[in-house]
Amino acid sequence: MDIGNVSKPVLGIESSCDETGVAVYQPGRGLLADRLYSQIALHQEYGGVVPELASRDHVRKLLPLIRETMAAAGLDFNDLGGVAYTAGPGLVGALLVGAAAARALAWALQIPAIGVHHMEGHLLAPLLEPDPPAPPFVALLVSGGHSMLVHVAGIGRYRLLGDTLDDAAGEAFDKTAKLLGLPYPGGPALAALAEQGHAGAFRFARPMTDRPGLDFSFSGLKTQVLLAWRNSDHSETARADIARGFEDAVVETLTVKCRRALAASGARTLVVAGGVGANRRLRETLTAAATADGFRVAFPRLQFCTDNGAMIAFAGALRLMAGQHEDSTIRVLPRWDLESLPAVA
Ligand SMILES: Nc1ncnc2c1ncn2[C@@H]1O[C@H](COP(=O)(O)OP(=O)(O)OP(=O)(O)O)[C@@H](O)[C@H]1O
Ligand SMILES: [Mg+2]
Protein backbone atom coordinates (compact mmCIF):
# COMPACT_ATOMS: atom_id res chain seq x y z
CA MET A 1 0.00 0.00 0.00
CA ASP A 2 1.22 3.40 -0.93
CA ILE A 3 1.16 5.82 1.98
CA GLY A 4 3.57 8.29 0.46
CA ASN A 5 0.87 10.49 -1.04
CA VAL A 6 -1.11 11.48 2.02
CA SER A 7 -1.16 15.16 1.17
CA LYS A 8 -3.52 14.09 -1.61
CA PRO A 9 -7.27 14.52 -0.98
CA VAL A 10 -8.87 12.25 1.62
CA LEU A 11 -12.47 11.06 1.22
CA GLY A 12 -14.41 11.00 4.50
CA ILE A 13 -17.54 8.92 5.12
CA GLU A 14 -19.89 9.27 8.11
CA SER A 15 -22.72 6.74 8.64
CA SER A 16 -22.86 6.10 12.39
CA CYS A 17 -26.49 7.08 12.94
CA ASP A 18 -29.17 8.82 10.87
CA GLU A 19 -27.03 11.04 8.65
CA THR A 20 -25.07 10.01 5.57
CA GLY A 21 -22.17 12.44 5.31
CA VAL A 22 -19.43 12.52 2.67
CA ALA A 23 -16.63 15.07 2.27
CA VAL A 24 -13.21 15.54 0.72
CA TYR A 25 -10.45 17.21 2.74
CA GLN A 26 -6.99 17.91 1.40
CA PRO A 27 -4.18 18.81 3.81
CA GLY A 28 -2.87 22.24 2.88
CA ARG A 29 -5.95 23.09 0.81
CA GLY A 30 -8.80 22.46 3.24
CA LEU A 31 -12.29 21.21 2.58
CA LEU A 32 -12.91 20.61 -1.14
CA ALA A 33 -16.51 19.40 -0.92
CA ASP A 34 -19.03 18.36 1.71
CA ARG A 35 -22.42 16.70 1.22
CA LEU A 36 -25.00 15.53 3.72
CA TYR A 37 -28.14 13.48 3.48
CA SER A 38 -30.30 13.48 6.60
CA GLN A 39 -32.77 10.65 7.34
CA ILE A 40 -34.93 12.83 9.63
CA ALA A 41 -38.04 12.47 7.44
CA LEU A 42 -37.64 8.66 7.42
CA HIS A 43 -37.56 8.31 11.23
CA GLN A 44 -40.01 11.10 12.05
CA GLU A 45 -43.13 8.93 12.16
CA TYR A 46 -41.46 6.62 14.72
CA GLY A 47 -40.33 9.50 16.97
CA GLY A 48 -36.72 8.26 16.96
CA VAL A 49 -34.07 6.48 14.90
CA VAL A 50 -34.99 2.93 13.78
CA PRO A 51 -31.59 1.21 13.34
CA GLU A 52 -32.54 -1.21 10.54
CA LEU A 53 -34.20 1.56 8.51
CA ALA A 54 -31.10 3.71 9.05
CA SER A 55 -28.77 1.00 7.68
CA ARG A 56 -30.93 0.41 4.62
CA ASP A 57 -31.13 4.10 3.85
CA HIS A 58 -27.32 4.45 4.12
CA VAL A 59 -27.08 1.61 1.55
CA ARG A 60 -29.39 3.53 -0.79
CA LYS A 61 -27.80 6.94 -0.37
CA LEU A 62 -24.08 6.43 0.22
CA LEU A 63 -22.76 5.64 -3.28
CA PRO A 64 -24.72 8.40 -5.07
CA LEU A 65 -23.56 10.83 -2.37
CA ILE A 66 -19.92 9.77 -2.83
CA ARG A 67 -20.20 10.37 -6.60
CA GLU A 68 -21.89 13.74 -6.01
CA THR A 69 -19.21 14.83 -3.53
CA MET A 70 -16.34 13.78 -5.81
CA ALA A 71 -17.94 15.71 -8.69
CA ALA A 72 -18.41 18.79 -6.48
CA ALA A 73 -14.71 18.59 -5.53
CA GLY A 74 -13.84 18.29 -9.24
CA LEU A 75 -11.94 15.07 -8.56
CA ASP A 76 -11.50 11.68 -10.12
CA PHE A 77 -11.25 8.66 -7.79
CA ASN A 78 -7.62 8.24 -8.84
CA ASP A 79 -6.86 11.67 -7.32
CA LEU A 80 -7.59 10.35 -3.80
CA GLY A 81 -4.75 9.61 -1.38
CA GLY A 82 -6.79 7.90 1.33
CA VAL A 83 -10.23 7.08 2.70
CA ALA A 84 -11.50 7.76 6.22
CA TYR A 85 -14.75 6.42 7.66
CA THR A 86 -16.50 6.38 11.01
CA ALA A 87 -15.67 3.00 12.60
CA GLY A 88 -17.54 3.71 15.88
CA PRO A 89 -19.17 4.39 18.22
CA GLY A 90 -22.61 4.13 16.67
CA LEU A 91 -25.25 1.75 15.30
CA VAL A 92 -23.49 -1.41 14.13
CA GLY A 93 -25.45 -1.87 10.89
CA ALA A 94 -25.15 1.78 9.94
CA LEU A 95 -21.41 1.80 10.68
CA LEU A 96 -20.89 -1.33 8.57
CA VAL A 97 -22.34 0.35 5.47
CA GLY A 98 -19.78 3.17 5.58
CA ALA A 99 -16.93 0.85 6.59
CA ALA A 100 -17.64 -1.61 3.76
CA ALA A 101 -17.86 1.13 1.13
CA ALA A 102 -14.69 2.83 2.39
CA ARG A 103 -12.66 -0.38 2.61
CA ALA A 104 -13.82 -1.56 -0.84
CA LEU A 105 -12.94 1.78 -2.41
CA ALA A 106 -9.53 1.89 -0.75
CA TRP A 107 -8.80 -1.68 -1.81
CA ALA A 108 -9.83 -1.01 -5.42
CA LEU A 109 -7.72 2.17 -5.56
CA GLN A 110 -4.84 0.62 -3.57
CA ILE A 111 -4.77 3.52 -1.13
CA PRO A 112 -4.79 3.44 2.70
CA ALA A 113 -7.98 3.64 4.74
CA ILE A 114 -8.54 4.46 8.39
CA GLY A 115 -11.44 3.95 10.78
CA VAL A 116 -12.13 7.20 12.66
CA HIS A 117 -13.63 7.55 16.16
CA HIS A 118 -16.88 9.50 15.70
CA MET A 119 -16.31 11.60 18.84
CA GLU A 120 -12.77 12.48 17.74
CA GLY A 121 -14.41 13.72 14.55
CA HIS A 122 -16.80 15.94 16.56
CA LEU A 123 -13.96 17.08 18.83
CA LEU A 124 -11.79 18.20 15.90
CA ALA A 125 -14.61 19.85 13.91
CA PRO A 126 -13.87 23.35 15.36
CA LEU A 127 -10.35 23.03 13.91
CA LEU A 128 -11.86 23.24 10.41
CA GLU A 129 -12.63 26.92 11.03
CA PRO A 130 -10.26 29.84 10.28
CA ASP A 131 -7.64 30.52 13.01
CA PRO A 132 -8.09 27.03 14.51
CA PRO A 133 -7.37 26.58 18.22
CA ALA A 134 -4.32 24.46 19.07
CA PRO A 135 -4.00 21.93 21.92
CA PRO A 136 -3.89 21.91 24.87
CA PHE A 137 -7.57 22.65 25.28
CA VAL A 138 -10.70 21.39 27.00
CA ALA A 139 -13.43 20.01 24.74
CA LEU A 140 -17.11 19.99 25.66
CA LEU A 141 -18.73 17.25 23.56
CA VAL A 142 -22.49 17.52 23.73
CA SER A 143 -24.37 15.41 21.22
CA GLY A 144 -27.29 13.01 20.98
CA GLY A 145 -25.35 10.19 22.61
CA HIS A 146 -22.64 11.92 24.64
CA SER A 147 -21.97 14.64 27.20
CA MET A 148 -18.27 14.69 27.91
CA LEU A 149 -15.54 17.03 29.02
CA VAL A 150 -12.22 15.96 27.53
CA HIS A 151 -8.73 17.31 28.09
CA VAL A 152 -6.94 17.40 24.74
CA ALA A 153 -3.15 17.47 25.15
CA GLY A 154 -2.65 16.82 21.43
CA ILE A 155 -4.35 15.03 18.54
CA GLY A 156 -5.18 11.56 19.89
CA ARG A 157 -4.12 12.45 23.43
CA TYR A 158 -7.48 12.55 25.16
CA ARG A 159 -8.27 12.33 28.87
CA LEU A 160 -11.87 12.12 30.01
CA LEU A 161 -12.55 14.73 32.71
CA GLY A 162 -16.29 14.29 33.02
CA ASP A 163 -19.06 12.14 31.55
CA THR A 164 -22.81 11.79 31.82
CA LEU A 165 -24.18 9.41 34.42
CA ASP A 166 -27.43 8.97 32.50
CA ASP A 167 -28.93 10.97 29.58
CA ALA A 168 -26.68 12.87 27.18
CA ALA A 169 -27.40 16.59 26.75
CA GLY A 170 -28.93 16.10 23.28
CA GLU A 171 -30.93 13.13 24.51
CA ALA A 172 -32.28 15.29 27.36
CA PHE A 173 -33.33 17.93 24.81
CA ASP A 174 -35.00 15.27 22.63
CA LYS A 175 -36.84 13.50 25.47
CA THR A 176 -37.98 16.77 27.06
CA ALA A 177 -39.23 17.98 23.70
CA LYS A 178 -41.26 14.77 23.35
CA LEU A 179 -42.82 15.34 26.81
CA LEU A 180 -43.89 18.79 25.65
CA GLY A 181 -45.43 17.33 22.50
CA LEU A 182 -42.86 18.70 20.07
CA PRO A 183 -42.01 16.86 16.83
CA TYR A 184 -38.85 14.79 16.31
CA PRO A 185 -36.00 15.77 16.29
CA GLY A 186 -36.82 17.58 19.50
CA GLY A 187 -33.63 19.49 20.32
CA PRO A 188 -33.87 22.22 17.68
CA ALA A 189 -37.68 22.43 18.11
CA LEU A 190 -37.35 22.87 21.87
CA ALA A 191 -34.65 25.53 21.40
CA ALA A 192 -36.90 27.41 18.96
CA LEU A 193 -39.82 27.28 21.42
CA ALA A 194 -37.58 28.47 24.27
CA GLU A 195 -36.88 31.64 22.26
CA GLN A 196 -40.50 32.67 22.96
CA GLY A 197 -40.37 31.73 26.66
CA HIS A 198 -39.72 34.00 29.63
CA ALA A 199 -36.55 33.51 31.64
CA GLY A 200 -37.25 32.68 35.29
CA ALA A 201 -40.94 31.81 34.82
CA PHE A 202 -39.94 28.20 35.58
CA ARG A 203 -36.74 27.42 37.41
CA PHE A 204 -35.37 23.88 37.28
CA ALA A 205 -32.39 22.41 39.14
CA ARG A 206 -28.82 22.73 37.82
CA PRO A 207 -27.93 19.03 38.34
CA MET A 208 -24.68 18.24 40.17
CA THR A 209 -23.40 21.81 40.20
CA ASP A 210 -23.64 22.10 44.00
CA ARG A 211 -20.91 19.52 44.61
CA PRO A 212 -17.40 19.12 43.19
CA GLY A 213 -16.79 17.05 40.06
CA LEU A 214 -17.20 17.25 36.32
CA ASP A 215 -19.82 14.58 35.63
CA PHE A 216 -23.30 15.37 34.35
CA SER A 217 -26.76 13.98 35.05
CA PHE A 218 -29.70 15.23 33.02
CA SER A 219 -32.36 12.56 33.45
CA GLY A 220 -33.90 14.16 36.58
CA LEU A 221 -34.66 17.33 34.63
CA LYS A 222 -37.15 15.42 32.48
CA THR A 223 -39.23 14.56 35.54
CA GLN A 224 -39.19 18.18 36.71
CA VAL A 225 -40.37 19.29 33.28
CA LEU A 226 -43.10 16.65 33.20
CA LEU A 227 -44.43 17.75 36.61
CA ALA A 228 -44.30 21.42 35.64
CA TRP A 229 -46.18 20.69 32.41
CA ARG A 230 -48.81 18.54 34.17
CA ASN A 231 -49.41 21.23 36.78
CA SER A 232 -49.57 24.05 34.22
CA ASP A 233 -52.61 25.40 32.36
CA HIS A 234 -51.27 23.74 29.17
CA SER A 235 -51.21 27.10 27.41
CA GLU A 236 -48.69 27.91 24.67
CA THR A 237 -47.15 30.45 27.05
CA ALA A 238 -46.60 27.79 29.71
CA ARG A 239 -45.08 25.45 27.13
CA ALA A 240 -42.63 28.08 25.91
CA ASP A 241 -41.78 29.18 29.47
CA ILE A 242 -41.06 25.58 30.50
CA ALA A 243 -38.90 25.08 27.40
CA ARG A 244 -36.97 28.23 28.33
CA GLY A 245 -36.58 27.05 31.94
CA PHE A 246 -35.23 23.69 30.74
CA GLU A 247 -32.82 25.23 28.24
CA ASP A 248 -31.50 27.70 30.83
CA ALA A 249 -30.92 24.83 33.31
CA VAL A 250 -28.93 22.79 30.77
CA VAL A 251 -26.94 25.76 29.48
CA GLU A 252 -26.04 26.98 32.96
CA THR A 253 -25.06 23.47 34.09
CA LEU A 254 -22.80 23.00 31.06
CA THR A 255 -21.26 26.45 31.59
CA VAL A 256 -20.50 25.79 35.28
CA LYS A 257 -18.76 22.50 34.38
CA CYS A 258 -16.78 24.05 31.51
CA ARG A 259 -15.45 26.78 33.82
CA ARG A 260 -14.59 24.15 36.41
CA ALA A 261 -12.80 21.95 33.83
CA LEU A 262 -10.75 24.89 32.56
CA ALA A 263 -9.77 25.87 36.11
CA ALA A 264 -8.88 22.28 37.05
CA SER A 265 -6.81 21.58 33.93
CA GLY A 266 -5.18 25.00 33.55
CA ALA A 267 -6.19 25.10 29.86
CA ARG A 268 -6.98 28.53 28.39
CA THR A 269 -9.07 27.33 25.46
CA LEU A 270 -12.47 25.67 25.32
CA VAL A 271 -13.67 23.84 22.24
CA VAL A 272 -17.38 22.99 21.92
CA ALA A 273 -18.73 20.35 19.56
CA GLY A 274 -21.67 18.02 18.91
CA GLY A 275 -25.28 18.80 18.03
CA VAL A 276 -26.08 20.75 21.21
CA GLY A 277 -23.12 22.98 20.29
CA ALA A 278 -25.52 24.46 17.71
CA ASN A 279 -27.70 25.80 20.53
CA ARG A 280 -27.75 29.58 20.32
CA ARG A 281 -28.11 30.24 24.04
CA LEU A 282 -25.25 27.85 24.86
CA ARG A 283 -22.99 29.59 22.34
CA GLU A 284 -23.88 33.04 23.72
CA THR A 285 -23.49 32.02 27.36
CA LEU A 286 -20.11 30.35 26.82
CA THR A 287 -18.90 33.31 24.75
CA ALA A 288 -19.86 35.67 27.59
CA ALA A 289 -18.10 33.40 30.13
CA ALA A 290 -14.98 33.39 27.94
CA THR A 291 -14.93 37.20 27.86
CA ALA A 292 -15.49 37.42 31.62
CA ASP A 293 -12.89 34.79 32.56
CA GLY A 294 -10.34 35.51 29.82
CA PHE A 295 -10.35 32.16 27.99
CA ARG A 296 -10.90 31.46 24.31
CA VAL A 297 -13.94 29.51 23.11
CA ALA A 298 -14.14 27.92 19.66
CA PHE A 299 -17.19 26.41 17.95
CA PRO A 300 -17.66 24.65 14.63
CA ARG A 301 -19.90 26.33 12.07
CA LEU A 302 -23.53 25.31 12.73
CA GLN A 303 -23.74 22.51 10.15
CA PHE A 304 -20.58 20.86 11.53
CA CYS A 305 -22.02 20.63 15.07
CA THR A 306 -24.26 17.72 14.09
CA ASP A 307 -22.98 14.67 12.19
CA ASN A 308 -21.13 15.37 8.95
CA GLY A 309 -18.52 13.86 6.65
CA ALA A 310 -16.13 16.83 6.88
CA MET A 311 -15.07 16.09 10.46
CA ILE A 312 -14.35 12.46 9.52
CA ALA A 313 -12.33 13.41 6.42
CA PHE A 314 -10.35 15.90 8.56
CA ALA A 315 -9.67 13.58 11.53
CA GLY A 316 -8.79 10.75 9.11
CA ALA A 317 -6.44 12.97 7.10
CA LEU A 318 -4.51 13.93 10.26
CA ARG A 319 -4.02 10.26 11.13
CA LEU A 320 -3.22 9.15 7.57
CA MET A 321 -0.62 11.95 7.34
CA ALA A 322 0.99 10.51 10.47
CA GLY A 323 1.23 7.15 8.69
CA GLN A 324 -1.63 5.52 10.59
CA HIS A 325 -3.94 3.14 8.71
CA GLU A 326 -5.20 -0.42 9.08
CA ASP A 327 -5.41 -3.61 7.02
CA SER A 328 -8.40 -4.13 4.75
CA THR A 329 -10.59 -5.95 7.30
CA ILE A 330 -14.05 -4.38 7.56
CA ARG A 331 -14.20 -3.77 11.30
CA VAL A 332 -16.48 -1.49 13.33
CA LEU A 333 -16.64 -0.73 17.06
CA PRO A 334 -20.18 0.17 18.23
CA ARG A 335 -18.62 0.94 21.63
CA TRP A 336 -15.17 2.52 21.59
CA ASP A 337 -13.25 4.30 24.34
CA LEU A 338 -11.96 7.70 23.18
CA GLU A 339 -8.99 7.49 25.56
CA SER A 340 -7.76 4.29 23.87
CA LEU A 341 -6.87 6.07 20.60
CA PRO A 342 -3.22 6.27 19.57
CA ALA A 343 -1.60 9.70 19.67
CA VAL A 344 -0.69 11.51 16.46
CA ALA A 345 2.96 12.49 16.73
N1 LIG B 1 -30.14 24.01 18.54
C1 LIG B 1 -30.09 22.91 19.29
N2 LIG B 1 -30.32 22.99 20.62
C2 LIG B 1 -30.27 21.88 21.38
N3 LIG B 1 -29.99 20.65 20.93
C3 LIG B 1 -29.77 20.52 19.62
C4 LIG B 1 -29.79 21.63 18.74
N4 LIG B 1 -29.50 21.17 17.48
C5 LIG B 1 -29.31 19.85 17.60
N5 LIG B 1 -29.47 19.44 18.87
C6 LIG B 1 -29.37 18.08 19.40
O1 LIG B 1 -28.14 17.50 18.98
C7 LIG B 1 -28.29 16.09 18.86
C8 LIG B 1 -27.74 15.63 17.53
O2 LIG B 1 -26.37 15.90 17.52
P1 LIG B 1 -25.32 14.90 16.88
O3 LIG B 1 -25.69 14.69 15.45
O4 LIG B 1 -23.99 15.41 17.17
O5 LIG B 1 -25.61 13.65 17.79
P2 LIG B 1 -25.55 12.12 17.42
O6 LIG B 1 -24.61 11.95 16.29
O7 LIG B 1 -26.94 11.61 17.30
O8 LIG B 1 -24.90 11.51 18.73
P3 LIG B 1 -23.38 11.03 18.95
O9 LIG B 1 -22.52 11.96 18.18
O10 LIG B 1 -23.18 11.11 20.43
O11 LIG B 1 -23.33 9.64 18.42
C9 LIG B 1 -29.77 15.79 19.02
O12 LIG B 1 -29.99 15.27 20.31
C10 LIG B 1 -30.42 17.16 18.83
O13 LIG B 1 -31.63 17.28 19.54
MG1 LIG C 1 -22.67 12.59 16.26
Side-chain angles (χ1 to χ4, degrees), residues 118 122 143 307 311:
H118 181 77
H122 276 304
S143 58
D307 290 352
M311 66 186 195

